[in-house]
Structures are given as structure tokens and as C-alpha cells.
Amino acid sequence: MNPGATVTPAFEWQDLIGEIGAGRFETDYFGKQPLHLKGCFTPATGLESLSDWKKVLAGQAVRREGHRGRVEIDPAVGDGQPVSGELEALLDQGGPLIVGSINKLNPTVDAIAGGIARGLTAFVGVNAYISPFRKDALDLHFDDHDVIVLQLHGEKHWTLGTRVARGVASSRFFKVSHEVLRADAIENDSFRTLEMKAGDLLYLPRGLFHRATASRETSIHLSFGIRRPTGLDFLDLVMQRLIAEPATREYVPRLDPASGDTDLGAYLDAMRDRLVAAANDPETRDEFLEQYRSKFNGVTDGR
């Protein structure tokens, strides 16, 4: 190790969750209800001011999404480059700006993400949100993954629903109309509000409608997106194993009303049996467990 190298301290989930404890959080809160903790232990990240962000985002590209900007961190951008004029103007007005994968440039944030990922046996991605006074980066919405928010600077007014839409997930197999659920939430859900200050933590289960607005000055917060595999990931693995079999890719027998479609019925019975066999195969189980360990358990988008 170089004598002058900066050592990023280890950071664990328990450091954030404090007296709630990891076990109680898993039992009482994860996937069930929001949790607001005031004044958590959060190390200085070097991202607490807009001047910090002008240094960190030097050389990064920004794209416009309506009234807000978005940066996807490119860790290959070299030091010494100036911040773009468009990005500097956005920062001068306090956003709205969303920065994806900021942990790729910030070892402290990646250490926090790693601690959360290990503690929750999950994959964790990190976004940062910079919002000016009374202007939202996002409208009322829900996420298809759980979220932990750490407020770094300023204050933010949160509006939270009280109902959690069960089973929302990110998958090519599963599509849900956010607008339909949003209209239903506006009409039938009841909402509560809370204020987050620097050092506060907020946990939001997936499927909970929410909205956040900077309530005084510019607000800066980190959002840690938490993903665990679902049953859809197991079904995806089973399907991939079946796709590898030539018989699955053959035409099914043609419709034949004269015979009562007996050939087609026999084919579907055989397909069902192959599906059950693939799901029951110990190799499928072992592969799913390995994917859980390698792609989710303790993994962050900074790696």
C-alpha cells in the first residue's frame, strides 16, 4: 500500500440501522412499511455541497430529460477536465439533477453501498438526487425495488402512501401500468408527510407511492436501490434451460378438430413434464443459488 494512500473504512449495514437492528428491520420493515430514522451515523462523503459536485462531475456528460438533467457516471473520464457549461448551469440553480452510479467515483459511498448490500444479501445501485427549492426531480411514483435514502444536505419534504402494492418487480415477464396504479393511489390511498434533514435515513419498500420536494434550500440525497431475486428470476432460469432443448423450439402439432386435437394435447402434456423436470432438477436449483450469490448477494453497481 502507498504510504499516502487514503484508506476507506469498512462500513456495515448495522452502522446505519442502529438500535433498530438488522433482524428487526428484516422482520418488521423490509418489504412491509417505511422507516424514518433521524440523525443516523453517516460518514462525510465529500458530496454535501454543490461546489463538491462541480469537482466530482468534471468531464461527465449530462443529458436533458424534460426539466431535469441526468448524468450516468463514466469512471474512465480523466482528472483535470472542466465541468461542462450545461452541467455547471444546472448545479448553479441546484438541479434538478439525477446522478447514476456515483459510487463509481466515490469510495465512501461505495463502502456504504457495499455494507447495505452485504447486510441485506442484495444487489445495491446508487443514484444521487440534487433538487432546488420546491422543485421535484420525479413526480408521484413507486419503485420496483426497495430504496434507502440518506439525506446529505438541506431538507426534503416527503409524501408517502400507506399502501404497498405487492409483487411489483422488474422483469421482462411482468408489466404493470404505473399510471393505472397511480390514479388508484391518488383516489383511494391515504398519504402522510415527513421532513428529512441532513443525516436522516428513510427506507421505502417497493410498491409504495412517494414524492419528495426540497422544502427550504437545495437538497442533496443519496438513493440506494435494493434488489433481491424474485420467483421470476427462477422461472427465467427454468425457461432458459428449456430453450436449450431443441424440442422446445420445434413447431407444436397443428390444430386438428377432427381428432379432438389429441396430438396437440399430448405435446402440451409432454411440455408440462419437461417444465416440471427442469424446475425439479438439482442443477437448476444450484445454478439459481450461484446466481443469487454472484449477482445479488453483497454486490453493488460500483463493481
PDB file of all heavy atoms in Angstrom, residues 11-42:
ATOM      1  N   PHE A  11     -17.678  -0.307   6.205  1.00  0.00           N
ATOM      2  CA  PHE A  11     -18.963   0.238   6.629  1.00  0.00           C
ATOM      3  C   PHE A  11     -19.983  -0.865   6.546  1.00  0.00           C
ATOM      4  O   PHE A  11     -20.070  -1.559   5.538  1.00  0.00           O
ATOM      5  CB  PHE A  11     -19.360   1.411   5.718  1.00  0.00           C
ATOM      6  CG  PHE A  11     -20.446   2.271   6.287  1.00  0.00           C
ATOM      7  CD1 PHE A  11     -20.150   3.358   7.079  1.00  0.00           C
ATOM      8  CD2 PHE A  11     -21.781   1.980   6.046  1.00  0.00           C
ATOM      9  CE1 PHE A  11     -21.153   4.149   7.615  1.00  0.00           C
ATOM     10  CE2 PHE A  11     -22.789   2.758   6.576  1.00  0.00           C
ATOM     11  CZ  PHE A  11     -22.465   3.862   7.369  1.00  0.00           C
ATOM     12  N   GLU A  12     -20.753  -1.050   7.597  1.00  0.00           N
ATOM     13  CA  GLU A  12     -21.709  -2.141   7.635  1.00  0.00           C
ATOM     14  C   GLU A  12     -23.129  -1.614   7.795  1.00  0.00           C
ATOM     15  O   GLU A  12     -23.357  -0.508   8.293  1.00  0.00           O
ATOM     16  CB  GLU A  12     -21.376  -3.127   8.763  1.00  0.00           C
ATOM     17  CG  GLU A  12     -20.002  -3.774   8.630  1.00  0.00           C
ATOM     18  CD  GLU A  12     -19.815  -4.529   7.318  1.00  0.00           C
ATOM     19  OE1 GLU A  12     -20.820  -5.034   6.772  1.00  0.00           O
ATOM     20  OE2 GLU A  12     -18.661  -4.613   6.839  1.00  0.00           O
ATOM     21  N   TRP A  13     -24.080  -2.439   7.374  1.00  0.00           N
ATOM     22  CA  TRP A  13     -25.497  -2.103   7.463  1.00  0.00           C
ATOM     23  C   TRP A  13     -25.887  -1.742   8.882  1.00  0.00           C
ATOM     24  O   TRP A  13     -26.653  -0.809   9.117  1.00  0.00           O
ATOM     25  CB  TRP A  13     -26.295  -3.281   6.934  1.00  0.00           C
ATOM     26  CG  TRP A  13     -27.779  -3.257   7.134  1.00  0.00           C
ATOM     27  CD1 TRP A  13     -28.542  -4.259   7.647  1.00  0.00           C
ATOM     28  CD2 TRP A  13     -28.692  -2.214   6.788  1.00  0.00           C
ATOM     29  NE1 TRP A  13     -29.870  -3.912   7.647  1.00  0.00           N
ATOM     30  CE2 TRP A  13     -29.989  -2.646   7.125  1.00  0.00           C
ATOM     31  CE3 TRP A  13     -28.540  -0.949   6.226  1.00  0.00           C
ATOM     32  CZ2 TRP A  13     -31.127  -1.876   6.932  1.00  0.00           C
ATOM     33  CZ3 TRP A  13     -29.677  -0.164   6.029  1.00  0.00           C
ATOM     34  CH2 TRP A  13     -30.946  -0.621   6.383  1.00  0.00           C
ATOM     35  N   GLN A  14     -25.355  -2.453   9.858  1.00  0.00           N
ATOM     36  CA  GLN A  14     -25.682  -2.180  11.251  1.00  0.00           C
ATOM     37  C   GLN A  14     -25.294  -0.758  11.655  1.00  0.00           C
ATOM     38  O   GLN A  14     -25.933  -0.144  12.513  1.00  0.00           O
ATOM     39  CB  GLN A  14     -24.976  -3.188  12.167  1.00  0.00           C
ATOM     40  CG  GLN A  14     -25.305  -3.039  13.644  1.00  0.00           C
ATOM     41  CD  GLN A  14     -26.790  -3.237  13.946  1.00  0.00           C
ATOM     42  OE1 GLN A  14     -27.392  -4.212  13.508  1.00  0.00           O
ATOM     43  NE2 GLN A  14     -27.390  -2.308  14.681  1.00  0.00           N
ATOM     44  N   ASP A  15     -24.260  -0.198  11.016  1.00  0.00           N
ATOM     45  CA  ASP A  15     -23.859   1.177  11.319  1.00  0.00           C
ATOM     46  C   ASP A  15     -24.965   2.161  10.988  1.00  0.00           C
ATOM     47  O   ASP A  15     -25.115   3.197  11.652  1.00  0.00           O
ATOM     48  CB  ASP A  15     -22.591   1.546  10.524  1.00  0.00           C
ATOM     49  CG  ASP A  15     -21.389   0.695  10.909  1.00  0.00           C
ATOM     50  OD1 ASP A  15     -21.313   0.287  12.080  1.00  0.00           O
ATOM     51  OD2 ASP A  15     -20.545   0.433  10.035  1.00  0.00           O
ATOM     52  N   LEU A  16     -25.743   1.854   9.972  1.00  0.00           N
ATOM     53  CA  LEU A  16     -26.837   2.739   9.567  1.00  0.00           C
ATOM     54  C   LEU A  16     -28.104   2.477  10.357  1.00  0.00           C
ATOM     55  O   LEU A  16     -28.796   3.405  10.769  1.00  0.00           O
ATOM     56  CB  LEU A  16     -27.142   2.554   8.071  1.00  0.00           C
ATOM     57  CG  LEU A  16     -26.304   3.310   7.058  1.00  0.00           C
ATOM     58  CD1 LEU A  16     -26.775   2.968   5.655  1.00  0.00           C
ATOM     59  CD2 LEU A  16     -26.375   4.808   7.287  1.00  0.00           C
ATOM     60  N   ILE A  17     -28.419   1.208  10.554  1.00  0.00           N
ATOM     61  CA  ILE A  17     -29.720   0.864  11.118  1.00  0.00           C
ATOM     62  C   ILE A  17     -29.764   1.049  12.627  1.00  0.00           C
ATOM     63  O   ILE A  17     -30.838   1.164  13.227  1.00  0.00           O
ATOM     64  CB  ILE A  17     -30.107  -0.590  10.717  1.00  0.00           C
ATOM     65  CG1 ILE A  17     -31.604  -0.776  10.743  1.00  0.00           C
ATOM     66  CG2 ILE A  17     -29.387  -1.607  11.558  1.00  0.00           C
ATOM     67  CD1 ILE A  17     -32.347   0.047   9.744  1.00  0.00           C
ATOM     68  N   GLY A  18     -28.598   1.093  13.270  1.00  0.00           N
ATOM     69  CA  GLY A  18     -28.527   1.437  14.686  1.00  0.00           C
ATOM     70  C   GLY A  18     -29.350   0.532  15.581  1.00  0.00           C
ATOM     71  O   GLY A  18     -29.348  -0.688  15.448  1.00  0.00           O
ATOM     72  N   GLU A  19     -30.103   1.163  16.492  1.00  0.00           N
ATOM     73  CA  GLU A  19     -30.814   0.402  17.515  1.00  0.00           C
ATOM     74  C   GLU A  19     -31.965  -0.433  16.959  1.00  0.00           C
ATOM     75  O   GLU A  19     -32.443  -1.350  17.615  1.00  0.00           O
ATOM     76  CB  GLU A  19     -31.348   1.347  18.593  1.00  0.00           C
ATOM     77  CG  GLU A  19     -32.375   2.341  18.088  1.00  0.00           C
ATOM     78  CD  GLU A  19     -32.834   3.301  19.179  1.00  0.00           C
ATOM     79  OE1 GLU A  19     -32.141   3.430  20.185  1.00  0.00           O
ATOM     80  OE2 GLU A  19     -33.900   3.899  18.994  1.00  0.00           O
ATOM     81  N   ILE A  20     -32.430  -0.138  15.748  1.00  0.00           N
ATOM     82  CA  ILE A  20     -33.474  -0.978  15.145  1.00  0.00           C
ATOM     83  C   ILE A  20     -32.974  -2.410  14.999  1.00  0.00           C
ATOM     84  O   ILE A  20     -33.689  -3.371  15.268  1.00  0.00           O
ATOM     85  CB  ILE A  20     -33.907  -0.417  13.772  1.00  0.00           C
ATOM     86  CG1 ILE A  20     -34.628   0.914  13.942  1.00  0.00           C
ATOM     87  CG2 ILE A  20     -34.799  -1.408  13.024  1.00  0.00           C
ATOM     88  CD1 ILE A  20     -35.960   0.812  14.643  1.00  0.00           C
ATOM     89  N   GLY A  21     -31.717  -2.532  14.596  1.00  0.00           N
ATOM     90  CA  GLY A  21     -31.126  -3.860  14.445  1.00  0.00           C
ATOM     91  C   GLY A  21     -31.490  -4.524  13.140  1.00  0.00           C
ATOM     92  O   GLY A  21     -32.606  -4.361  12.633  1.00  0.00           O
ATOM     93  N   ALA A  22     -30.546  -5.267  12.585  1.00  0.00           N
ATOM     94  CA  ALA A  22     -30.761  -5.900  11.281  1.00  0.00           C
ATOM     95  C   ALA A  22     -31.895  -6.915  11.322  1.00  0.00           C
ATOM     96  O   ALA A  22     -32.684  -7.021  10.380  1.00  0.00           O
ATOM     97  CB  ALA A  22     -29.468  -6.565  10.810  1.00  0.00           C
ATOM     98  N   GLY A  23     -31.989  -7.683  12.404  1.00  0.00           N
ATOM     99  CA  GLY A  23     -33.033  -8.699  12.493  1.00  0.00           C
ATOM    100  C   GLY A  23     -34.422  -8.098  12.534  1.00  0.00           C
ATOM    101  O   GLY A  23     -35.335  -8.552  11.837  1.00  0.00           O
ATOM    102  N   ARG A  24     -34.599  -7.078  13.361  1.00  0.00           N
ATOM    103  CA  ARG A  24     -35.916  -6.438  13.458  1.00  0.00           C
ATOM    104  C   ARG A  24     -36.270  -5.740  12.151  1.00  0.00           C
ATOM    105  O   ARG A  24     -37.442  -5.762  11.729  1.00  0.00           O
ATOM    106  CB  ARG A  24     -35.925  -5.439  14.611  1.00  0.00           C
ATOM    107  CG  ARG A  24     -37.268  -4.740  14.792  1.00  0.00           C
ATOM    108  CD  ARG A  24     -37.222  -3.686  15.866  1.00  0.00           C
ATOM    109  NE  ARG A  24     -38.413  -2.854  15.829  1.00  0.00           N
ATOM    110  CZ  ARG A  24     -38.522  -1.671  16.433  1.00  0.00           C
ATOM    111  NH1 ARG A  24     -37.503  -1.186  17.124  1.00  0.00           N
ATOM    112  NH2 ARG A  24     -39.631  -0.966  16.329  1.00  0.00           N
ATOM    113  N   PHE A  25     -35.287  -5.129  11.504  1.00  0.00           N
ATOM    114  CA  PHE A  25     -35.570  -4.470  10.229  1.00  0.00           C
ATOM    115  C   PHE A  25     -36.103  -5.482   9.225  1.00  0.00           C
ATOM    116  O   PHE A  25     -37.097  -5.229   8.536  1.00  0.00           O
ATOM    117  CB  PHE A  25     -34.313  -3.798   9.677  1.00  0.00           C
ATOM    118  CG  PHE A  25     -34.516  -3.176   8.323  1.00  0.00           C
ATOM    119  CD1 PHE A  25     -35.080  -1.921   8.200  1.00  0.00           C
ATOM    120  CD2 PHE A  25     -34.178  -3.873   7.166  1.00  0.00           C
ATOM    121  CE1 PHE A  25     -35.309  -1.357   6.942  1.00  0.00           C
ATOM    122  CE2 PHE A  25     -34.392  -3.310   5.908  1.00  0.00           C
ATOM    123  CZ  PHE A  25     -34.961  -2.063   5.807  1.00  0.00           C
ATOM    124  N   GLU A  26     -35.450  -6.643   9.138  1.00  0.00           N
ATOM    125  CA  GLU A  26     -35.866  -7.668   8.182  1.00  0.00           C
ATOM    126  C   GLU A  26     -37.271  -8.164   8.494  1.00  0.00           C
ATOM    127  O   GLU A  26     -38.092  -8.372   7.604  1.00  0.00           O
ATOM    128  CB  GLU A  26     -34.886  -8.838   8.215  1.00  0.00           C
ATOM    129  CG  GLU A  26     -35.104  -9.885   7.142  1.00  0.00           C
ATOM    130  CD  GLU A  26     -34.673  -9.423   5.766  1.00  0.00           C
ATOM    131  OE1 GLU A  26     -33.764  -8.580   5.667  1.00  0.00           O
ATOM    132  OE2 GLU A  26     -35.260  -9.915   4.777  1.00  0.00           O
ATOM    133  N   THR A  27     -37.573  -8.342   9.769  1.00  0.00           N
ATOM    134  CA  THR A  27     -38.859  -8.909  10.172  1.00  0.00           C
ATOM    135  C   THR A  27     -40.003  -7.902  10.083  1.00  0.00           C
ATOM    136  O   THR A  27     -41.096  -8.228   9.597  1.00  0.00           O
ATOM    137  CB  THR A  27     -38.770  -9.432  11.617  1.00  0.00           C
ATOM    138  OG1 THR A  27     -37.758 -10.437  11.688  1.00  0.00           O
ATOM    139  CG2 THR A  27     -40.100 -10.022  12.060  1.00  0.00           C
ATOM    140  N   ASP A  28     -39.749  -6.666  10.524  1.00  0.00           N
ATOM    141  CA  ASP A  28     -40.839  -5.697  10.687  1.00  0.00           C
ATOM    142  C   ASP A  28     -40.968  -4.687   9.550  1.00  0.00           C
ATOM    143  O   ASP A  28     -42.053  -4.119   9.365  1.00  0.00           O
ATOM    144  CB  ASP A  28     -40.663  -4.922  12.003  1.00  0.00           C
ATOM    145  CG  ASP A  28     -40.787  -5.814  13.225  1.00  0.00           C
ATOM    146  OD1 ASP A  28     -41.259  -6.949  13.080  1.00  0.00           O
ATOM    147  OD2 ASP A  28     -40.391  -5.365  14.327  1.00  0.00           O
ATOM    148  N   TYR A  29     -39.888  -4.451   8.801  1.00  0.00           N
ATOM    149  CA  TYR A  29     -39.924  -3.351   7.841  1.00  0.00           C
ATOM    150  C   TYR A  29     -39.676  -3.772   6.391  1.00  0.00           C
ATOM    151  O   TYR A  29     -40.373  -3.291   5.487  1.00  0.00           O
ATOM    152  CB  TYR A  29     -38.888  -2.289   8.232  1.00  0.00           C
ATOM    153  CG  TYR A  29     -39.231  -1.591   9.520  1.00  0.00           C
ATOM    154  CD1 TYR A  29     -38.657  -2.002  10.725  1.00  0.00           C
ATOM    155  CD2 TYR A  29     -40.149  -0.546   9.553  1.00  0.00           C
ATOM    156  CE1 TYR A  29     -38.983  -1.385  11.923  1.00  0.00           C
ATOM    157  CE2 TYR A  29     -40.482   0.084  10.738  1.00  0.00           C
ATOM    158  CZ  TYR A  29     -39.901  -0.342  11.925  1.00  0.00           C
ATOM    159  OH  TYR A  29     -40.235   0.275  13.108  1.00  0.00           O
ATOM    160  N   PHE A  30     -38.713  -4.657   6.148  1.00  0.00           N
ATOM    161  CA  PHE A  30     -38.319  -4.930   4.771  1.00  0.00           C
ATOM    162  C   PHE A  30     -39.505  -5.456   3.959  1.00  0.00           C
ATOM    163  O   PHE A  30     -40.096  -6.483   4.290  1.00  0.00           O
ATOM    164  CB  PHE A  30     -37.161  -5.923   4.707  1.00  0.00           C
ATOM    165  CG  PHE A  30     -36.567  -6.044   3.328  1.00  0.00           C
ATOM    166  CD1 PHE A  30     -35.688  -5.084   2.866  1.00  0.00           C
ATOM    167  CD2 PHE A  30     -36.910  -7.084   2.484  1.00  0.00           C
ATOM    168  CE1 PHE A  30     -35.148  -5.166   1.591  1.00  0.00           C
ATOM    169  CE2 PHE A  30     -36.381  -7.180   1.218  1.00  0.00           C
ATOM    170  CZ  PHE A  30     -35.507  -6.209   0.767  1.00  0.00           C
ATOM    171  N   GLY A  31     -39.856  -4.728   2.917  1.00  0.00           N
ATOM    172  CA  GLY A  31     -40.966  -5.104   2.050  1.00  0.00           C
ATOM    173  C   GLY A  31     -42.333  -4.849   2.634  1.00  0.00           C
ATOM    174  O   GLY A  31     -43.331  -5.165   2.005  1.00  0.00           O
ATOM    175  N   LYS A  32     -42.395  -4.255   3.830  1.00  0.00           N
ATOM    176  CA  LYS A  32     -43.682  -4.110   4.520  1.00  0.00           C
ATOM    177  C   LYS A  32     -44.089  -2.668   4.770  1.00  0.00           C
ATOM    178  O   LYS A  32     -45.219  -2.276   4.483  1.00  0.00           O
ATOM    179  CB  LYS A  32     -43.637  -4.846   5.861  1.00  0.00           C
ATOM    180  CG  LYS A  32     -43.354  -6.340   5.750  1.00  0.00           C
ATOM    181  CD  LYS A  32     -43.267  -6.969   7.121  1.00  0.00           C
ATOM    182  CE  LYS A  32     -42.945  -8.462   7.031  1.00  0.00           C
ATOM    183  NZ  LYS A  32     -41.559  -8.704   6.586  1.00  0.00           N
ATOM    184  N   GLN A  33     -43.185  -1.855   5.304  1.00  0.00           N
ATOM    185  CA  GLN A  33     -43.558  -0.493   5.684  1.00  0.00           C
ATOM    186  C   GLN A  33     -42.328   0.403   5.692  1.00  0.00           C
ATOM    187  O   GLN A  33     -41.202  -0.079   5.856  1.00  0.00           O
ATOM    188  CB  GLN A  33     -44.217  -0.479   7.064  1.00  0.00           C
ATOM    189  CG  GLN A  33     -43.324  -0.974   8.190  1.00  0.00           C
ATOM    190  CD  GLN A  33     -43.980  -0.857   9.550  1.00  0.00           C
ATOM    191  OE1 GLN A  33     -44.663   0.119   9.833  1.00  0.00           O
ATOM    192  NE2 GLN A  33     -43.773  -1.856  10.413  1.00  0.00           N
ATOM    193  N   PRO A  34     -42.532   1.716   5.521  1.00  0.00           N
ATOM    194  CA  PRO A  34     -41.396   2.633   5.530  1.00  0.00           C
ATOM    195  C   PRO A  34     -40.828   2.821   6.935  1.00  0.00           C
ATOM    196  O   PRO A  34     -41.481   2.509   7.933  1.00  0.00           O
ATOM    197  CB  PRO A  34     -41.986   3.938   4.992  1.00  0.00           C
ATOM    198  CG  PRO A  34     -43.440   3.846   5.302  1.00  0.00           C
ATOM    199  CD  PRO A  34     -43.803   2.403   5.229  1.00  0.00           C
ATOM    200  N   LEU A  35     -39.615   3.319   6.990  1.00  0.00           N
ATOM    201  CA  LEU A  35     -38.933   3.587   8.259  1.00  0.00           C
ATOM    202  C   LEU A  35     -38.141   4.876   8.125  1.00  0.00           C
ATOM    203  O   LEU A  35     -37.365   5.031   7.181  1.00  0.00           O
ATOM    204  CB  LEU A  35     -37.988   2.434   8.605  1.00  0.00           C
ATOM    205  CG  LEU A  35     -37.077   2.635   9.821  1.00  0.00           C
ATOM    206  CD1 LEU A  35     -37.896   2.724  11.104  1.00  0.00           C
ATOM    207  CD2 LEU A  35     -36.038   1.511   9.921  1.00  0.00           C
ATOM    208  N   HIS A  36     -38.350   5.799   9.056  1.00  0.00           N
ATOM    209  CA  HIS A  36     -37.614   7.057   9.086  1.00  0.00           C
ATOM    210  C   HIS A  36     -36.773   7.096  10.354  1.00  0.00           C
ATOM    211  O   HIS A  36     -37.307   7.032  11.462  1.00  0.00           O
ATOM    212  CB  HIS A  36     -38.591   8.247   9.060  1.00  0.00           C
ATOM    213  CG  HIS A  36     -37.920   9.574   9.110  1.00  0.00           C
ATOM    214  ND1 HIS A  36     -38.545  10.717   9.600  1.00  0.00           N
ATOM    215  CD2 HIS A  36     -36.669   9.974   8.751  1.00  0.00           C
ATOM    216  CE1 HIS A  36     -37.727  11.732   9.518  1.00  0.00           C
ATOM    217  NE2 HIS A  36     -36.572  11.317   9.009  1.00  0.00           N
ATOM    218  N   LEU A  37     -35.451   7.183  10.184  1.00  0.00           N
ATOM    219  CA  LEU A  37     -34.531   7.285  11.314  1.00  0.00           C
ATOM    220  C   LEU A  37     -33.828   8.632  11.255  1.00  0.00           C
ATOM    221  O   LEU A  37     -33.263   8.999  10.219  1.00  0.00           O
ATOM    222  CB  LEU A  37     -33.493   6.156  11.276  1.00  0.00           C
ATOM    223  CG  LEU A  37     -34.024   4.727  11.420  1.00  0.00           C
ATOM    224  CD1 LEU A  37     -32.882   3.725  11.297  1.00  0.00           C
ATOM    225  CD2 LEU A  37     -34.738   4.548  12.745  1.00  0.00           C
ATOM    226  N   LYS A  38     -33.856   9.349  12.350  1.00  0.00           N
ATOM    227  CA  LYS A  38     -33.251  10.678  12.395  1.00  0.00           C
ATOM    228  C   LYS A  38     -31.821  10.606  12.922  1.00  0.00           C
ATOM    229  O   LYS A  38     -31.524   9.857  13.843  1.00  0.00           O
ATOM    230  CB  LYS A  38     -34.092  11.602  13.285  1.00  0.00           C
ATOM    231  CG  LYS A  38     -35.503  11.827  12.777  1.00  0.00           C
ATOM    232  CD  LYS A  38     -36.279  12.770  13.683  1.00  0.00           C
ATOM    233  CE  LYS A  38     -37.694  13.001  13.150  1.00  0.00           C
ATOM    234  NZ  LYS A  38     -38.468  13.922  14.021  1.00  0.00           N
ATOM    235  N   GLY A  39     -30.965  11.410  12.315  1.00  0.00           N
ATOM    236  CA  GLY A  39     -29.596  11.558  12.797  1.00  0.00           C
ATOM    237  C   GLY A  39     -28.792  10.275  12.806  1.00  0.00           C
ATOM    238  O   GLY A  39     -28.141   9.945  13.795  1.00  0.00           O
ATOM    239  N   CYS A  40     -28.820   9.536  11.697  1.00  0.00           N
ATOM    240  CA  CYS A  40     -28.040   8.298  11.627  1.00  0.00           C
ATOM    241  C   CYS A  40     -26.547   8.616  11.513  1.00  0.00           C
ATOM    242  O   CYS A  40     -26.150   9.728  11.144  1.00  0.00           O
ATOM    243  CB  CYS A  40     -28.449   7.475  10.404  1.00  0.00           C
ATOM    244  SG  CYS A  40     -30.142   6.881  10.492  1.00  0.00           S
ATOM    245  N   PHE A  41     -25.739   7.599  11.801  1.00  0.00           N
ATOM    246  CA  PHE A  41     -24.307   7.743  11.592  1.00  0.00           C
ATOM    247  C   PHE A  41     -24.008   7.652  10.101  1.00  0.00           C
ATOM    248  O   PHE A  41     -24.194   6.614   9.482  1.00  0.00           O
ATOM    249  CB  PHE A  41     -23.536   6.652  12.336  1.00  0.00           C
ATOM    250  CG  PHE A  41     -22.091   6.574  11.924  1.00  0.00           C
ATOM    251  CD1 PHE A  41     -21.211   7.591  12.269  1.00  0.00           C
ATOM    252  CD2 PHE A  41     -21.617   5.511  11.184  1.00  0.00           C
ATOM    253  CE1 PHE A  41     -19.882   7.534  11.881  1.00  0.00           C
ATOM    254  CE2 PHE A  41     -20.292   5.438  10.788  1.00  0.00           C
ATOM    255  CZ  PHE A  41     -19.417   6.450  11.143  1.00  0.00           C
ATOM    256  N   THR A  42     -23.586   8.755   9.533  1.00  0.00           N
ATOM    257  CA  THR A  42     -23.241   8.782   8.115  1.00  0.00           C
ATOM    258  C   THR A  42     -21.904   9.486   7.948  1.00  0.00           C
ATOM    259  O   THR A  42     -21.769  10.650   8.318  1.00  0.00           O
ATOM    260  CB  THR A  42     -24.307   9.525   7.286  1.00  0.00           C
ATOM    261  OG1 THR A  42     -25.589   8.975   7.568  1.00  0.00           O
ATOM    262  CG2 THR A  42     -24.020   9.405   5.806  1.00  0.00           C
TER     263      THR A  42
END
